[in-house]
Amino acid sequence: MRWPIGRAASVCFGLALALLLVDAWLSYRNVRQLNDNAVRVAHTHEVVHGLDETLSLLKDAETGQRGFLITGHVKYLEPYDAATGAIERQVLKIKQLTADNARQQERIAALETGIAAKLAELEQTIVLRRDKGFESAREVVLTDRGKQEMDNLRALVAVMLADERQLLEQREADSALSYRIAVAAGVIAALVGIVLLATTIALLHRNLKARERAAAIIHREKQRFSTTLASIGDAVIVTDEKARVAFMNKVAKDLTGWKEDGLGRDLSDIFHIVNETTRTEVESPVAKVLREGIVVGLANHTVLIDRAGNDLPIDDSGAPLRDEEGTITGVVLVFRDISERRRNERALERSQQRLVLAQQAARIGSFEWNMRTGVNYWSPELEALYGLSAGEFEETYEGWSRRLHPADRERAESDLRQAIKESGDFLSEFRVIWPDGSIHWLGGRAKVVCAGDGTPERMIGVNLDIDRRKQAEEGLREAQQQKSDSLALLENLLTNVPIGLALFDKELRYLRLNPALAEINGVPLEAHLGKTIHDVLPAMPDDVLALFRGVVETGRAGETREVAGETPKEPGRRRYWLADTFPLRYDDGQVFGVGCAVTEITERKEAEEALRLADRRKDEFLAMLAHELRNPLAPVKNGLAILKLNQTASLDARQVIDMMERQVRQIVRLVDDLLDISRITRGKIKLQREPLNVGAFVAAAVEASRPFVETRRHDLKVEVPVEPLAVRGDMAR
């Protein structure tokens, strides 16, 4: 049966129109699908970027925490504060972006929990570092709790990223299917007729535009990802599954020394690491990630050897890159230069060592008392100051109080309460009793630290060993007392000693003198001070003044000098002194003046003069006596000469006359010696030597002694040689 042409045309037209409508509907649907897919792809990229940004913020927070833990400076917390403020907003944004994904919503809840735990751990270590010091915070870090939490977060984010990438691939596949359907619809439209060509071309044009937009979005996301990696402050190297370098940011290029020529090389050529201490090879974290498929952190004390052979301390980790099927397609290696941190660590260690040595050398112990908890922290040096071994000091306030000497406890505790009340400084000195019973002096120096509301929270300070100083002070007090007693004794001695004492400066001005010297000089004591010797005693001889000046110039004591002169008190009377001079010196031996001890010898000199006068009178008397004795001896001598002329005298009479003549001659000789007063005074009596017969002067001696022999009825026998025995001598002597 034949269809009429019009009907056939109508059917054909209707079919063509139907096909055109179907084609138009399919084209519209595909174009819309492409647009929706492009939006979803962009949406997925935004989620991926948000997850990466979250991890980056966590690393920034961790970096700030590490800087503060190492240095203790608040400025290092700026990255931490900025990151903690932005993480919550970033997670909220991801949560909103994945609101239509139930699985991702469950993971976001776990992500929020993990982030909260990680931030809590960071805050805990920061608080410990701020309140209790580096070691307390270090103990928490060494538990690896923070690392485990960070690893869990990375793993969770990796799962979420994998899910988003899988979703991205699915949406790209849908977009490709829509594209193929649109092309088919375009071909069908072209077969329908020239009339529908323009419409088909327009639809295709729209379809192509949609694809271009989607491709542009994808390209922008890739550029954003690359820019993000390039802008990270740490060094980033991305490798493929065979550990070949696919990407290096500028920091990585600078640290390794490899530029664009490093791309495509094996990572071992670029990233060469050794142990800082042993210099042994360390396995690349990329190799371990590719082998085990986990996030790997670098070992401690790892050194990167750059292209020029220089050492560079580094740390951080590597993480795997996976496709939608979970297959590792590469590794992201992130590391950073920690040279400054390592220098700071060494400087801190040296500083702590110097502090410990300084405390030990100065015998200083430090402490920190938490007033809220009542717990004390102290250094080993503090325990030694209390005579305790390590670990024996009690943590509580009462433990410290019990160590105090009972006589000092109330005062020391009062000083402590006053410092807490005024939120000021604690300054006190007290004794402590050691376990062996010995008592030692300590000095307490501390400062009260208040909380934000002004409430006293902590006390930080030191104890110092002041035992030697206290002993020195006690010795000084005793020395001062002894000095005071000595000065009093000296003052009493100066006042009461009968010897005159005076101290002069280099110009021979009186600095000090005692009353005895003022009495000797005959001038009031006050009239001496500040005046020279010449001002007070104008008649002082020049040789005496020269003696004083010689002591000042040479620093040697002068000889004792006799001085004669008149005093203003008794003009016209000559008085005599003995002056003994000596130098005055500073502690360093320098002479600053001269001292003088004066003894008046006027009475002695007068007595000596009287003795000389008496001696002269004695000499005069003896001379007169000698003259008087010579007068009667002359007639006796003459009479004996006359008697000797008498020849009739018996033998006995002649012997008596001879004896008398000899004795008279002897008396005359003695009287002549007595007249020679000068010889007597000088002790020089002249001997008149002449030849003598021994028998003769023996006979004369016997003759002179005979009356005594006979009176006592002694029997005297004398035997002398018959021959003459001559000697030279003085018969009278």
Side-chain angles (χ1 to χ4, degrees):
M1 179 179 180
R2 284 185 155 184
W3 293 93
I5 293 177
R7 186 176 180 183
S10 297
V11 171
C12 290
F13 180 79
L15 290 174
L17 182 59
L19 289 173
L20 183 60
L21 291 174
V22 170
D23 182 72
W25 179 79
L26 289 175
S27 297
Y28 172 76
R29 181 178 177 278
N30 289 333
V31 171
R32 182 140 184 200
Q33 185 65 37
L34 280 174
N35 184 63
D36 291 341
N37 288 341
V39 172
R40 291 190 185 97
V41 168
H43 180 83
T44 303
H45 279 292
E46 192 171 2
V47 173
V48 170
H49 175 71
L51 291 171
D52 288 335
E53 183 67 16
T54 301
L55 276 180
S56 177
L57 290 173
L58 284 172
K59 290 177 65 176
D60 289 344
E62 192 174 48
T63 299
Q65 174 242 17
R66 289 177 181 175
F68 178 71
L69 292 185
I70 294 170
T71 64
H73 295 307
V74 177
K75 67 178 183 179
Y76 286 93
L77 289 178
E78 293 176 1
Y80 167 83
D81 294 333
T84 53
I87 286 174
E88 184 177 356
R89 295 191 299 272
Q90 191 64 40
V91 173
L92 179 61
K93 180 179 178 181
I94 296 172
K95 191 173 184 179
Q96 293 172 349
L97 291 172
T98 59
D100 58 342
N101 192 329
R103 287 185 302 173
Q104 293 290 58
Q105 288 291 300
E106 292 176 358
R107 292 168 183 155
I108 287 175
L111 181 65
E112 289 176 331
T113 302
I115 290 173
K118 178 61 180 177
L119 292 180
E121 181 267 338
L122 295 178
E123 183 178 8
Q124 179 188 7
T125 55
I126 290 171
V127 171
L128 286 174
R129 178 63 174 87
R130 183 186 297 117
D131 295 342
K132 295 188 176 182
F134 176 78
E135 289 300 327
S136 298
R138 181 173 175 268
E139 290 177 1
V140 174
V141 173
L142 291 178
T143 61
D144 283 338
R145 168 186 157 195
K147 181 178 181 302
Q148 292 171 2
E149 290 172 349
M150 194 66 180
D151 290 343
N152 293 336
L153 287 172
R154 287 192 179 101
L156 180 59
V157 170
V159 172
M160 296 178 70
L161 286 172
D163 195 11
E164 288 298 321
R165 290 190 182 97
Q166 184 177 1
L167 185 60
L168 177 62
E169 291 174 356
Q170 180 181 351
R171 288 174 176 173
E172 287 177 344
D174 292 341
S175 179
L177 178 60
S178 299
Y179 172 75
R180 289 192 295 270
I181 294 173
V183 172
V187 172
I188 293 172
L191 295 176
V192 170
I194 298 304
V195 179
L196 301 177
L197 180 60
T199 303
T200 302
I201 292 174
L203 292 175
L204 287 174
H205 182 71
R206 289 182 61 187
N207 194 0
L208 290 174
K209 285 293 184 182
R211 286 196 63 189
E212 288 176 0
R213 286 196 300 271
I217 292 173
I218 293 173
H219 179 71
R220 284 197 302 272
E221 290 301 323
K222 288 183 178 180
Q223 287 294 107
R224 184 182 301 174
F225 179 68
S226 298
T227 303
T228 300
L229 292 179
S231 63
I232 292 176
D234 296 337
V236 179
I237 297 178
V238 180
T239 71
D240 60 15
E241 70 280 2
K242 294 184 179 180
R244 292 188 297 259
V245 177
F247 172 82
M248 296 173 64
N249 67 352
K250 183 178 184 303
V251 179
K253 294 176 182 178
D254 293 338
L255 295 183
T256 61
W258 290 84
K259 303 303 180 181
E260 298 300 332
D261 54 347
L263 298 178
R265 287 180 172 271
D266 190 271
L267 181 67
S268 60
D269 296 337
I270 296 173
F271 192 73
H272 181 210
I273 54 177
V274 297
N275 183 274
E276 182 180 24
T277 305
T278 65
R279 308 300 293 182
T280 57
E281 294 284 339
V282 177
E283 183 184 22
S284 167
V286 172
K288 192 171 183 179
V289 170
L290 292 174
R291 184 177 65 251
E292 300 180 8
I294 60 173
V295 176
V296 177
L298 293 178
N300 292 329
H301 305 291
T302 302
V303 173
L304 170 67
I305 300 178
D306 65 12
R307 191 173 187 178
N310 300 317
D311 291 358
L312 187 70
I314 60 171
D315 74 352
D316 227 317
S317 61
L321 294 175
R322 301 178 184 271
D323 58 16
E324 64 278 3
E325 297 176 356
T327 303
I328 296 178
T329 60
V331 178
V332 175
L333 174 64
V334 181
F335 58 97
R336 62 175 62 89
D337 179 6
I338 60 169
S339 300
E340 183 66 24
R341 189 183 80 186
R342 193 61 53 82
R343 284 192 293 269
N344 292 336
E345 288 174 353
R346 295 192 183 103
L348 179 61
E349 183 179 355
R350 289 194 297 270
S351 176
Q352 290 174 337
Q353 290 174 350
R354 287 195 297 269
L355 177 61
V356 170
L357 290 175
Q359 287 185 350
Q360 291 174 348
R363 291 188 60 78
I364 297 175
S366 59
F367 69 90
E368 181 177 347
W369 175 34
N370 191 320
M371 300 180 192
R372 293 183 176 178
T373 62
V375 175
N376 266 328
Y377 164 78
W378 57 90
S379 67
E381 291 77 21
L382 184 74
E383 293 179 303
L385 293 180
Y386 286 80
L388 302 172
S389 301
E392 289 186 353
F393 200 88
E394 298 181 44
E395 295 185 359
T396 60
Y397 166 83
E398 291 76 13
W400 168 75
S401 179
R402 281 195 295 271
R403 302 286 177 184
L404 300 180
H405 192 283
D408 299 338
R409 183 177 295 129
E410 182 177 353
R411 175 176 50 80
E413 291 180 343
S414 175
D415 293 341
L416 183 64
R417 289 192 296 269
Q418 186 70 19
I420 296 173
K421 180 180 178 181
E422 297 177 356
S423 297
D425 295 337
F426 168 66
L427 301 173
S428 186
E429 295 180 350
F430 46 84
R431 288 166 289 179
V432 296
I433 302 176
W434 282 20
D436 61 5
S438 59
I439 298 175
H440 301 265
W441 276 98
L442 296 180
R445 304 289 185 271
K447 186 173 187 63
V448 176
V449 180
C450 297
D453 58 359
T455 305
E457 183 179 42
R458 290 177 296 142
M459 177 176 283
I460 302 174
V462 296
N463 281 178
L464 303 88
D465 181 358
I466 61 171
D467 208 48
R468 293 182 181 177
R469 194 198 79 194
K470 283 293 184 180
Q471 292 176 3
E473 289 177 354
E474 184 63 27
L476 181 60
R477 282 195 294 270
E478 293 178 359
Q480 289 175 340
Q481 183 61 41
Q482 292 175 359
K483 181 178 179 182
S484 178
D485 296 342
S486 299
L487 289 175
L489 179 61
L490 179 60
E491 188 68 28
N492 184 52
L493 180 64
L494 288 174
T495 303
N496 298 295
V497 72
I499 298 175
L501 297 173
L503 305 178
F504 304 90
D505 62 12
K506 288 187 174 182
E507 304 300 327
L508 302 185
R509 289 188 291 264
Y510 283 92
L511 299 175
R512 191 167 183 186
L513 71 159
N514 66 346
L517 184 64
E519 179 65 24
I520 290 173
N521 290 344
V523 179
L525 189 147
E526 295 77 10
H528 290 74
L529 300 178
K531 296 181 180 179
T532 65
I533 299 178
H534 184 73
D535 294 336
V536 177
L537 302 173
M540 183 66 68
D542 292 339
D543 61 336
V544 177
L545 297 178
L547 173 66
F548 278 76
R549 295 190 185 96
V551 174
V552 174
E553 293 171 358
T554 65
R556 295 192 298 270
E559 70 274 10
T560 301
R561 180 71 62 87
E562 182 177 307
V563 183
E566 298 180 358
T567 64
K569 184 178 180 180
E570 298 176 283
R573 181 191 176 191
R574 197 160 184 80
R575 303 182 70 175
Y576 298 88
W577 305 273
L578 279 180
D580 189 6
T581 56
F582 51 90
L584 302 178
R585 303 178 186 274
Y586 293 115
D587 292 339
D588 60 0
Q590 184 179 358
V591 176
F592 69 87
V594 60
C596 180
V598 178
T599 305
E600 185 175 0
I601 59 172
T602 302
E603 293 182 358
R604 192 190 80 184
K605 294 292 289 186
E606 291 176 347
E608 289 175 355
E609 185 65 28
L611 286 174
R612 280 193 296 272
L613 179 61
D615 187 60
R616 186 171 64 254
R617 289 175 179 174
K618 177 200 70 176
D619 293 341
E620 292 174 354
F621 171 75
L622 290 175
M624 181 184 67
L625 179 63
H627 282 288
E628 292 296 329
L629 288 174
R630 285 176 65 92
N631 292 332
L633 285 175
V636 172
K637 185 178 180 182
N638 293 331
L640 289 174
I642 294 172
L643 289 174
K644 193 174 181 181
L645 295 174
N646 186 5
Q647 298 295 327
T648 61
S650 62
L651 179 61
D652 292 336
R654 285 197 298 272
Q655 290 178 346
V656 170
I657 291 172
D658 291 338
M659 179 193 69
M660 293 178 65
E661 186 179 19
R662 289 194 300 271
Q663 295 301 323
V664 168
R665 286 199 302 270
Q666 177 71 11
I667 292 173
V668 171
R669 177 72 180 276
L670 293 175
V671 170
D672 289 341
D673 288 341
L674 186 62
L675 286 173
D676 194 356
I677 300 300
S678 62
R679 286 187 294 158
I680 295 175
T681 304
R682 294 193 303 269
K684 296 181 179 179
I685 299 177
K686 185 176 180 181
L687 296 176
Q688 297 179 3
R689 293 182 178 87
E690 58 183 345
L692 297 176
N693 185 3
V694 173
F697 64 71
V698 169
V702 171
E703 182 182 54
S705 303
R706 185 174 297 279
F708 299 101
V709 173
E710 292 176 350
T711 301
R712 292 170 175 78
R713 297 178 181 180
H714 290 168
D715 185 13
L716 175 63
K717 293 182 180 180
V718 179
E719 293 182 3
V720 294
V722 178
E723 304 83 11
L725 184 62
V727 295
R728 287 184 60 81
D730 188 333
M731 189 64 181
R733 301 302 174 194

PDB file of all heavy atoms in Angstrom, residues 331-349:
ATOM      1  N   VAL A 331      54.808   9.337  45.555  1.00  0.00           N
ATOM      2  CA  VAL A 331      55.045   9.694  46.964  1.00  0.00           C
ATOM      3  C   VAL A 331      55.283  11.192  47.044  1.00  0.00           C
ATOM      4  O   VAL A 331      55.952  11.779  46.190  1.00  0.00           O
ATOM      5  CB  VAL A 331      56.270   8.938  47.536  1.00  0.00           C
ATOM      6  CG1 VAL A 331      56.526   9.358  48.983  1.00  0.00           C
ATOM      7  CG2 VAL A 331      56.063   7.436  47.452  1.00  0.00           C
ATOM      8  N   VAL A 332      54.704  11.782  48.082  1.00  0.00           N
ATOM      9  CA  VAL A 332      54.988  13.187  48.400  1.00  0.00           C
ATOM     10  C   VAL A 332      55.970  13.191  49.574  1.00  0.00           C
ATOM     11  O   VAL A 332      55.651  12.683  50.656  1.00  0.00           O
ATOM     12  CB  VAL A 332      53.715  13.964  48.762  1.00  0.00           C
ATOM     13  CG1 VAL A 332      54.080  15.382  49.199  1.00  0.00           C
ATOM     14  CG2 VAL A 332      52.778  14.013  47.581  1.00  0.00           C
ATOM     15  N   LEU A 333      57.140  13.738  49.356  1.00  0.00           N
ATOM     16  CA  LEU A 333      58.170  13.839  50.386  1.00  0.00           C
ATOM     17  C   LEU A 333      58.250  15.294  50.837  1.00  0.00           C
ATOM     18  O   LEU A 333      58.484  16.186  50.029  1.00  0.00           O
ATOM     19  CB  LEU A 333      59.525  13.381  49.833  1.00  0.00           C
ATOM     20  CG  LEU A 333      60.726  13.567  50.762  1.00  0.00           C
ATOM     21  CD1 LEU A 333      60.591  12.716  52.011  1.00  0.00           C
ATOM     22  CD2 LEU A 333      62.028  13.234  50.030  1.00  0.00           C
ATOM     23  N   VAL A 334      58.026  15.514  52.132  1.00  0.00           N
ATOM     24  CA  VAL A 334      58.079  16.865  52.695  1.00  0.00           C
ATOM     25  C   VAL A 334      59.194  16.896  53.737  1.00  0.00           C
ATOM     26  O   VAL A 334      59.230  16.053  54.639  1.00  0.00           O
ATOM     27  CB  VAL A 334      56.738  17.254  53.343  1.00  0.00           C
ATOM     28  CG1 VAL A 334      56.815  18.675  53.901  1.00  0.00           C
ATOM     29  CG2 VAL A 334      55.600  17.137  52.333  1.00  0.00           C
ATOM     30  N   PHE A 335      60.114  17.842  53.626  1.00  0.00           N
ATOM     31  CA  PHE A 335      61.189  17.970  54.611  1.00  0.00           C
ATOM     32  C   PHE A 335      61.521  19.445  54.769  1.00  0.00           C
ATOM     33  O   PHE A 335      61.134  20.284  53.973  1.00  0.00           O
ATOM     34  CB  PHE A 335      62.431  17.169  54.190  1.00  0.00           C
ATOM     35  CG  PHE A 335      62.996  17.550  52.852  1.00  0.00           C
ATOM     36  CD1 PHE A 335      64.053  18.434  52.751  1.00  0.00           C
ATOM     37  CD2 PHE A 335      62.466  17.009  51.673  1.00  0.00           C
ATOM     38  CE1 PHE A 335      64.579  18.772  51.518  1.00  0.00           C
ATOM     39  CE2 PHE A 335      62.991  17.343  50.437  1.00  0.00           C
ATOM     40  CZ  PHE A 335      64.054  18.233  50.350  1.00  0.00           C
ATOM     41  N   ARG A 336      62.212  19.735  55.841  1.00  0.00           N
ATOM     42  CA  ARG A 336      62.533  21.131  56.138  1.00  0.00           C
ATOM     43  C   ARG A 336      63.936  21.230  56.723  1.00  0.00           C
ATOM     44  O   ARG A 336      64.443  20.282  57.333  1.00  0.00           O
ATOM     45  CB  ARG A 336      61.531  21.743  57.121  1.00  0.00           C
ATOM     46  CG  ARG A 336      61.486  21.079  58.467  1.00  0.00           C
ATOM     47  CD  ARG A 336      60.539  21.837  59.413  1.00  0.00           C
ATOM     48  NE  ARG A 336      59.186  21.845  58.919  1.00  0.00           N
ATOM     49  CZ  ARG A 336      58.282  20.902  59.183  1.00  0.00           C
ATOM     50  NH1 ARG A 336      58.626  19.867  59.929  1.00  0.00           N
ATOM     51  NH2 ARG A 336      57.081  20.972  58.708  1.00  0.00           N
ATOM     52  N   ASP A 337      64.536  22.407  56.567  1.00  0.00           N
ATOM     53  CA  ASP A 337      65.861  22.698  57.128  1.00  0.00           C
ATOM     54  C   ASP A 337      65.694  23.024  58.610  1.00  0.00           C
ATOM     55  O   ASP A 337      64.976  23.959  58.977  1.00  0.00           O
ATOM     56  CB  ASP A 337      66.466  23.891  56.381  1.00  0.00           C
ATOM     57  CG  ASP A 337      67.834  24.281  56.931  1.00  0.00           C
ATOM     58  OD1 ASP A 337      68.351  23.568  57.801  1.00  0.00           O
ATOM     59  OD2 ASP A 337      68.369  25.311  56.481  1.00  0.00           O
ATOM     60  N   ILE A 338      66.348  22.239  59.472  1.00  0.00           N
ATOM     61  CA  ILE A 338      66.253  22.485  60.919  1.00  0.00           C
ATOM     62  C   ILE A 338      67.610  22.907  61.483  1.00  0.00           C
ATOM     63  O   ILE A 338      67.886  22.685  62.669  1.00  0.00           O
ATOM     64  CB  ILE A 338      65.731  21.233  61.663  1.00  0.00           C
ATOM     65  CG1 ILE A 338      66.684  20.046  61.436  1.00  0.00           C
ATOM     66  CG2 ILE A 338      64.327  20.886  61.232  1.00  0.00           C
ATOM     67  CD1 ILE A 338      66.380  18.865  62.347  1.00  0.00           C
ATOM     68  N   SER A 339      68.444  23.531  60.630  1.00  0.00           N
ATOM     69  CA  SER A 339      69.761  23.972  61.106  1.00  0.00           C
ATOM     70  C   SER A 339      69.626  24.955  62.259  1.00  0.00           C
ATOM     71  O   SER A 339      70.318  24.845  63.276  1.00  0.00           O
ATOM     72  CB  SER A 339      70.543  24.623  59.956  1.00  0.00           C
ATOM     73  OG  SER A 339      70.732  23.710  58.903  1.00  0.00           O
ATOM     74  N   GLU A 340      68.711  25.915  62.088  1.00  0.00           N
ATOM     75  CA  GLU A 340      68.535  26.908  63.145  1.00  0.00           C
ATOM     76  C   GLU A 340      68.025  26.251  64.419  1.00  0.00           C
ATOM     77  O   GLU A 340      68.471  26.564  65.521  1.00  0.00           O
ATOM     78  CB  GLU A 340      67.559  27.996  62.669  1.00  0.00           C
ATOM     79  CG  GLU A 340      67.356  29.124  63.665  1.00  0.00           C
ATOM     80  CD  GLU A 340      68.624  29.936  63.855  1.00  0.00           C
ATOM     81  OE1 GLU A 340      69.475  29.950  62.949  1.00  0.00           O
ATOM     82  OE2 GLU A 340      68.753  30.552  64.927  1.00  0.00           O
ATOM     83  N   ARG A 341      67.082  25.325  64.256  1.00  0.00           N
ATOM     84  CA  ARG A 341      66.569  24.629  65.441  1.00  0.00           C
ATOM     85  C   ARG A 341      67.656  23.816  66.121  1.00  0.00           C
ATOM     86  O   ARG A 341      67.764  23.807  67.344  1.00  0.00           O
ATOM     87  CB  ARG A 341      65.408  23.717  65.030  1.00  0.00           C
ATOM     88  CG  ARG A 341      64.659  23.124  66.225  1.00  0.00           C
ATOM     89  CD  ARG A 341      63.585  22.187  65.773  1.00  0.00           C
ATOM     90  NE  ARG A 341      64.135  20.885  65.441  1.00  0.00           N
ATOM     91  CZ  ARG A 341      63.437  19.890  64.893  1.00  0.00           C
ATOM     92  NH1 ARG A 341      62.164  20.074  64.587  1.00  0.00           N
ATOM     93  NH2 ARG A 341      63.993  18.736  64.631  1.00  0.00           N
ATOM     94  N   ARG A 342      68.491  23.149  65.302  1.00  0.00           N
ATOM     95  CA  ARG A 342      69.566  22.354  65.880  1.00  0.00           C
ATOM     96  C   ARG A 342      70.566  23.249  66.605  1.00  0.00           C
ATOM     97  O   ARG A 342      71.051  22.908  67.682  1.00  0.00           O
ATOM     98  CB  ARG A 342      70.241  21.546  64.774  1.00  0.00           C
ATOM     99  CG  ARG A 342      71.161  20.456  65.272  1.00  0.00           C
ATOM    100  CD  ARG A 342      70.417  19.414  66.109  1.00  0.00           C
ATOM    101  NE  ARG A 342      69.265  18.856  65.441  1.00  0.00           N
ATOM    102  CZ  ARG A 342      69.303  17.872  64.545  1.00  0.00           C
ATOM    103  NH1 ARG A 342      70.465  17.345  64.219  1.00  0.00           N
ATOM    104  NH2 ARG A 342      68.195  17.399  63.996  1.00  0.00           N
ATOM    105  N   ARG A 343      70.865  24.413  66.009  1.00  0.00           N
ATOM    106  CA  ARG A 343      71.767  25.353  66.695  1.00  0.00           C
ATOM    107  C   ARG A 343      71.145  25.835  67.994  1.00  0.00           C
ATOM    108  O   ARG A 343      71.830  25.960  69.011  1.00  0.00           O
ATOM    109  CB  ARG A 343      72.088  26.541  65.781  1.00  0.00           C
ATOM    110  CG  ARG A 343      73.081  26.228  64.678  1.00  0.00           C
ATOM    111  CD  ARG A 343      73.577  27.497  64.012  1.00  0.00           C
ATOM    112  NE  ARG A 343      72.524  28.173  63.286  1.00  0.00           N
ATOM    113  CZ  ARG A 343      72.245  27.960  62.011  1.00  0.00           C
ATOM    114  NH1 ARG A 343      72.946  27.072  61.325  1.00  0.00           N
ATOM    115  NH2 ARG A 343      71.262  28.610  61.407  1.00  0.00           N
ATOM    116  N   ASN A 344      69.852  26.106  67.934  1.00  0.00           N
ATOM    117  CA  ASN A 344      69.172  26.541  69.154  1.00  0.00           C
ATOM    118  C   ASN A 344      69.180  25.444  70.213  1.00  0.00           C
ATOM    119  O   ASN A 344      69.340  25.716  71.409  1.00  0.00           O
ATOM    120  CB  ASN A 344      67.735  26.962  68.841  1.00  0.00           C
ATOM    121  CG  ASN A 344      67.674  28.221  68.004  1.00  0.00           C
ATOM    122  OD1 ASN A 344      68.610  29.019  68.018  1.00  0.00           O
ATOM    123  ND2 ASN A 344      66.601  28.401  67.266  1.00  0.00           N
ATOM    124  N   GLU A 345      68.987  24.192  69.769  1.00  0.00           N
ATOM    125  CA  GLU A 345      69.011  23.082  70.720  1.00  0.00           C
ATOM    126  C   GLU A 345      70.386  22.970  71.368  1.00  0.00           C
ATOM    127  O   GLU A 345      70.494  22.789  72.583  1.00  0.00           O
ATOM    128  CB  GLU A 345      68.669  21.773  69.994  1.00  0.00           C
ATOM    129  CG  GLU A 345      67.203  21.658  69.583  1.00  0.00           C
ATOM    130  CD  GLU A 345      66.948  20.414  68.752  1.00  0.00           C
ATOM    131  OE1 GLU A 345      67.928  19.734  68.390  1.00  0.00           O
ATOM    132  OE2 GLU A 345      65.766  20.126  68.469  1.00  0.00           O
ATOM    133  N   ARG A 346      71.445  23.073  70.535  1.00  0.00           N
ATOM    134  CA  ARG A 346      72.795  22.981  71.097  1.00  0.00           C
ATOM    135  C   ARG A 346      73.081  24.163  72.010  1.00  0.00           C
ATOM    136  O   ARG A 346      73.702  24.012  73.072  1.00  0.00           O
ATOM    137  CB  ARG A 346      73.823  22.933  69.974  1.00  0.00           C
ATOM    138  CG  ARG A 346      73.729  21.674  69.103  1.00  0.00           C
ATOM    139  CD  ARG A 346      74.951  21.542  68.209  1.00  0.00           C
ATOM    140  NE  ARG A 346      74.847  20.396  67.316  1.00  0.00           N
ATOM    141  CZ  ARG A 346      74.550  20.467  66.030  1.00  0.00           C
ATOM    142  NH1 ARG A 346      74.321  21.653  65.473  1.00  0.00           N
ATOM    143  NH2 ARG A 346      74.484  19.371  65.280  1.00  0.00           N
ATOM    144  N   ALA A 347      72.644  25.367  71.576  1.00  0.00           N
ATOM    145  CA  ALA A 347      72.855  26.545  72.418  1.00  0.00           C
ATOM    146  C   ALA A 347      72.112  26.408  73.742  1.00  0.00           C
ATOM    147  O   ALA A 347      72.625  26.767  74.804  1.00  0.00           O
ATOM    148  CB  ALA A 347      72.393  27.814  71.685  1.00  0.00           C
ATOM    149  N   LEU A 348      70.871  25.869  73.651  1.00  0.00           N
ATOM    150  CA  LEU A 348      70.093  25.659  74.872  1.00  0.00           C
ATOM    151  C   LEU A 348      70.778  24.645  75.774  1.00  0.00           C
ATOM    152  O   LEU A 348      70.850  24.830  76.997  1.00  0.00           O
ATOM    153  CB  LEU A 348      68.678  25.175  74.498  1.00  0.00           C
ATOM    154  CG  LEU A 348      67.745  24.874  75.679  1.00  0.00           C
ATOM    155  CD1 LEU A 348      67.534  26.125  76.518  1.00  0.00           C
ATOM    156  CD2 LEU A 348      66.406  24.340  75.168  1.00  0.00           C
ATOM    157  N   GLU A 349      71.291  23.586  75.171  1.00  0.00           N
ATOM    158  CA  GLU A 349      71.982  22.565  75.963  1.00  0.00           C
ATOM    159  C   GLU A 349      73.227  23.150  76.624  1.00  0.00           C
ATOM    160  O   GLU A 349      73.476  22.909  77.806  1.00  0.00           O
ATOM    161  CB  GLU A 349      72.357  21.390  75.055  1.00  0.00           C
ATOM    162  CG  GLU A 349      73.028  20.244  75.796  1.00  0.00           C
ATOM    163  CD  GLU A 349      73.359  19.078  74.867  1.00  0.00           C
ATOM    164  OE1 GLU A 349      72.972  19.133  73.688  1.00  0.00           O
ATOM    165  OE2 GLU A 349      74.001  18.124  75.337  1.00  0.00           O
TER     166      GLU A 349
END
